[in-house]
Amino acid sequence: MLVAVLGAAALIPVGYVVQVAVEMGWQQLAELVFRPRVGELLVNTVLLVVLGVPLTVVLGVGGAWLVERTALPARRLFAVLLVVPLTIPAFVASYGWASAIPSINGLGGGLLVAVLAYYPLVYLPALAALRGLDPALEESARSLGMGSWAVFVRVVLPQLRLAMLGGGLVVALHLLAEYGAFAFLRFETFTTAIVVAYQSSFAGPNAAALGVVLALLCFVVLLVEATARGRLRYARVGGGSPHPAPRLGLGRATPPVVLALVALAVASSVVPLVSVIRWALVTDAASWAPVVDATVQTLLLAVGGAVAALAVALPAAWLSARYPGRVARTLEGAYYFASSLPAIIVALALVTVTLRVLPGLYQTVATVIAAYVVIFLPRALVSVRAGIAQVPESLEEAARSLGTSPFVAKLRVTGPLLLPSLAAGGALVALGAANELTATLLLAPTGTTTVATGFWAAASAVDYPAAAPYALTLVLLSIPAVALMLAQVKARRTP
């Protein structure tokens, strides 16, 4: 019952989209949707996804294969460098590029910044998948006369299908939801247009109609990914070959490959960081003072969001892991579907609900934390569910056989074993909450300044020196969670 209630609450943004469409009626909705302005936004947004996702897949899978399957010089260094962009929020990378090249803008600029910022979201799952593959499959293919390229295309690449589709889905949803990076580059998408419409008409019909279209785009992306994924399974029985996969020599391709990876690292990490550090060095001490207060408020909201997300995820993960079935899958799917909607939709839904039903919660910390839970819940749910699945039920049964109550057995036996998973899930939620911009701008109480909103206030006013301390702080706050993600990937069995 608790999981069902929480699932229904998580679906508030979905209900908001449906309610807006019904309230407006077909005629008014059609007048607001079928106009040239919306057509331009649709073209921009679709091109961004259609071009951006394949580019991130190529970079992510290519980088993972080079690190894991070739005799790449300094491959351990490159393994870390390829994940560094995750420590730099996309809107900070946009700020770095815009301050380095002021003329960068439009679709080209948006693609450049977004692809460089988001390709690690494909790189990490691809890296994990490669480390888990049975090298015997590749050995068998080579024994049949296949060359290295044929083995990669016909044996390895199909096994990476789930990683590519999953990473591509996450990238697509990020592209649909991103506001700061594209607004800074003057590239208009549905999300940037919704924020502008909200600020000008306070959640008026124009913002609501654009929100309906954006929600439909997210649904289409989910449908495409589910269709492409199909019902294929890639699990194997047994541990696979005990021998590590042979690392392929790059031969004459070594210099250009190394140069390409260095160029990728420079473009995705060095350019933004150098811009941030350059502006930070010219700021005076007074510019750093507000950052301290903003950091404290950010940490409080991020920790609050992480704790709340874990509290919501724990019963759902327990039901999914211990009592799998149609009901558990349906309730879990509700969480994922709600979280697939962009932050701007979640924020608009919470604004509407609080104003109409719970006006006392409008622009309060509780509303901000609720938004963080809806947006970042899958990060906690995946980690906690995996942790519960790895704890044998027999341990609790043994404790109960000694006279311990079921609740105490769970608390004293299962609880300590879940701490690593809880910590990992909480860290990932806190990372997302600390870097979240759109929902925080709309929902935060008056006078509340997080590091992200403080950065945006300065950067949008083209006050680059004032924005630099906030940008540097965002990077520093992101490092621990990103290091944790990389450590989890490296902990997988190396073929």
Side-chain angles (χ1 to χ4, degrees), residues 90-354:
F91 53 86
V92 173
S94 178
Y95 154 86
W97 272 96
S99 61
I101 307 175
S103 61
I104 187 172
N105 58 64
L107 177 62
L111 276 174
L112 174 68
V113 171
V115 169
L116 293 177
Y118 291 136
Y119 81 82
L121 296 175
V122 180
Y123 166 74
L124 280 178
L127 188 67
L130 280 169
R131 294 176 73 87
L133 289 185
D134 184 357
L137 297 175
E138 299 166 57
E139 294 170 2
S140 299
R142 289 192 179 89
S143 69
L144 295 174
M146 286 189 187
S148 299
W149 177 249
V151 170
F152 173 74
V153 173
R154 299 179 61 180
V155 178
V156 176
L157 205 57
Q159 297 296 311
L160 300 182
R161 180 176 174 181
L162 291 182
M164 291 189 294
L165 289 173
L169 173 63
V170 174
V171 170
L173 294 176
H174 272 78
L175 292 176
L176 291 174
E178 181 60 44
Y179 165 68
F182 301 139
F184 205 84
L185 296 174
R186 301 181 299 282
F187 177 59
E188 293 185 319
T189 65
F190 274 107
T191 299
T192 62
I194 290 172
V195 173
V196 172
Y198 172 87
Q199 292 171 340
S200 61
S201 61
F202 192 67
N206 186 30
L210 293 175
V212 171
V213 179
L214 183 57
L216 289 175
L217 283 176
C218 290
F219 178 74
V220 169
V221 168
L222 290 171
L223 187 62
V224 169
E225 190 274 341
T227 303
R229 178 167 24 99
R231 296 181 177 274
L232 294 179
R233 296 292 181 266
Y234 300 93
R236 69 169 186 261
V237 177
S241 171
H243 305 291
R247 297 194 177 275
L248 304 177
L250 294 174
R252 295 180 180 178
T254 300
V257 166
V258 171
L259 285 176
L261 290 177
V262 170
L264 179 60
V266 169
S268 61
S269 304
V270 176
V271 170
L273 289 176
V274 167
S275 295
V276 169
I277 294 172
R278 176 169 64 92
W279 288 113
L281 292 176
V282 300
T283 58
D284 53 24
S287 299
W288 289 86
V291 181
V292 177
D293 292 335
T295 302
V296 172
Q297 294 188 54
T298 298
L299 291 175
L300 290 175
L301 288 173
V303 171
V307 172
L310 289 174
V312 174
L314 188 57
W318 192 276
L319 180 67
S320 177
R322 292 293 173 86
Y323 307 98
R326 182 175 300 177
V327 174
R329 289 196 301 270
T330 301
L331 293 173
E332 189 178 11
Y335 287 129
Y336 284 110
F337 182 63
S339 298
S340 69
L341 294 177
I344 186 65
I345 303 294
V346 175
L348 290 175
L350 292 178
V351 166
T352 303
V353 169
T354 53

Side-chain angles (χ1 to χ4, degrees), residues 373-388:
V373 171
V374 174
I375 296 169
F376 301 114
L377 184 59
R379 301 188 182 197
L381 188 56
V382 170
S383 295
V384 176
R385 183 184 58 188
I388 294 174

Side-chain angles (χ1 to χ4, degrees), residues 91 177 179-180 191 195 198-199 294 297-302 305 342-348 350-351 362-373 375-376 429-457 474:
F91 53 86
Y179 165 68
T191 299
V195 173
Y198 172 87
Q199 292 171 340
Q297 294 188 54
T298 298
L299 291 175
L300 290 175
L301 288 173
I344 186 65
I345 303 294
V346 175
L348 290 175
L350 292 178
V351 166
Y362 176 65
Q363 282 197 328
T364 62
V365 170
T367 309
V368 177
I369 289 178
Y372 291 163
V373 171
I375 296 169
F376 301 114
V429 173
L431 169 64
N435 292 335
E436 208 288 318
L437 177 63
T438 313
T440 309
L441 284 172
L442 271 63
L443 299 174
T446 303
T448 299
T449 301
T450 66
V451 180
T453 59
F455 164 83
W456 184 249
L474 283 170

